[in-house]
Amino acid sequence: MMLRIGISLLAFLAAWAPLSSALSCPPQKTSAANHQSSSLASTRRSFVGGAAAAAAGLVTSGPSFASEPPSSTGLPSKGARAPSFELPNSRGTGLVTLDGLVKNSKWTVLYFYPGAFTSGCTLEARGFQKDLEEYRKLNAQIVGVSVDPVEKNAQFCTEEKLDFFMLSDKGGIVSKKYGSALSIPGFGTFSNRQTYIIDPSGELRWIFTDVESKIARHSSEVLEKLAELERA
């Protein structure tokens, strides 16, 4: 059975690779647009290299999930109200909403990740945990989101000794609302690796889309931007 899955996966990757090149965005006039186009092309190549295998559950370590272009719904607008949600948390204490997160007057770092226990997601979570006291000094809280079930996220938090919780986005509904959904034919929808900074009023202030290439230093990058936004 595993052999048949592996063969099907290889066939999918072989067919997907040339298609992804054909779908690459045309050059834009501005340097910022050119940079974004180059970044998306790079992450497509990374995705072909490892994401599908991890998504299929064939590996729990090794190649990490790579970023993909935002879903067709697009990214939400910075400066607007962050998309609302209501999702179960890994602590087993019921549903968490956007309103519930911001009512304590804290900034929220809402980060989407493809799958617990994969190498990239583990490294990313450890980075946030290592810097957690710095986030608290900035009056900020960390919340993760993936399509993993509550039980798996709970186990992930326990084994990695995380002092923050994860939300379970079954079917990737909220991931799609945030423009952070990654769909793999035959395997379903997963959360793309993207991070959002939401202020205490619930306004979306910043979006990190190019996370995969700098997972090890991503938390430091978020802390720097968070401090900058709070000073503004």
Side-chain angles (χ1 to χ4, degrees):
M1 177 63 181
M2 294 298 293
L3 179 60
R4 289 199 297 273
I5 293 175
I7 294 172
S8 298
L9 182 57
L10 289 174
F12 159 67
L13 293 177
W16 194 90
L19 176 61
S20 67
S21 298
L23 294 177
S24 297
C25 298
Q28 302 295 318
K29 293 182 180 179
T30 66
S31 58
N34 285 337
H35 173 76
Q36 182 181 38
S37 176
S38 175
S39 174
L40 295 183
S42 175
T43 55
R44 285 190 183 95
R45 290 192 293 271
S46 299
F47 168 73
V48 173
L58 300 180
V59 296
T60 55
S61 61
S64 60
F65 281 85
S67 295
E68 268 292 280
S71 68
S72 59
T73 57
L75 294 170
S77 300
K78 286 187 291 185
R81 177 79 175 177
S84 61
F85 56 80
E86 185 177 68
L87 296 172
N89 69 70
S90 56
R91 291 177 176 169
T93 55
L95 299 175
V96 172
T97 66
L98 175 64
D99 289 340
L101 285 175
V102 302
K103 75 176 182 180
N104 58 11
S105 300
K106 291 184 179 181
W107 289 70
T108 300
V109 175
L110 189 71
Y111 83 96
F112 290 75
Y113 63 98
F117 296 107
T118 55
S119 59
C121 298
T122 300
L123 181 62
E124 185 177 25
R126 288 174 180 175
F128 284 125
Q129 177 63 35
K130 176 179 65 68
D131 295 332
L132 192 56
E133 286 305 315
E134 296 303 314
Y135 285 102
R136 288 172 175 166
K137 291 176 184 178
L138 290 171
N139 190 39
Q141 56 196 344
I142 306 292
V143 180
V145 182
S146 76
V147 301
D148 289 329
V150 171
E151 296 78 13
K152 185 176 181 180
N153 278 333
Q155 183 183 4
F156 185 47
C157 290
T158 298
E159 292 192 14
E160 289 300 323
K161 298 179 174 60
L162 303 179
D163 291 328
F164 53 90
F165 59 81
M166 308 299 194
L167 303 179
S168 294
D169 181 22
K170 184 177 180 180
I173 295 173
V174 174
S175 299
K176 291 175 182 176
K177 291 174 67 174
Y178 275 78
S180 184
L182 173 64
S183 295
I184 303 176
F187 299 112
T189 298
F190 301 84
S191 299
N192 194 8
R193 198 185 306 286
Q194 296 181 176
T195 301
Y196 303 75
I197 297 179
I198 301 170
D199 72 16
S201 69
E203 182 179 297
L204 181 58
R205 300 293 298 279
W206 199 261
I207 305 172
F208 296 88
T209 57
D210 183 20
V211 178
E212 190 68 32
S213 64
K214 43 193 171 184
I215 296 175
R217 64 179 188 275
H218 179 53
S219 180
S220 297
E221 177 185 48
V222 175
L223 277 171
E224 182 179 349
K225 177 56 66 175
L226 182 61
E228 177 186 319
L229 291 170
E230 291 190 12
R231 290 194 302 265

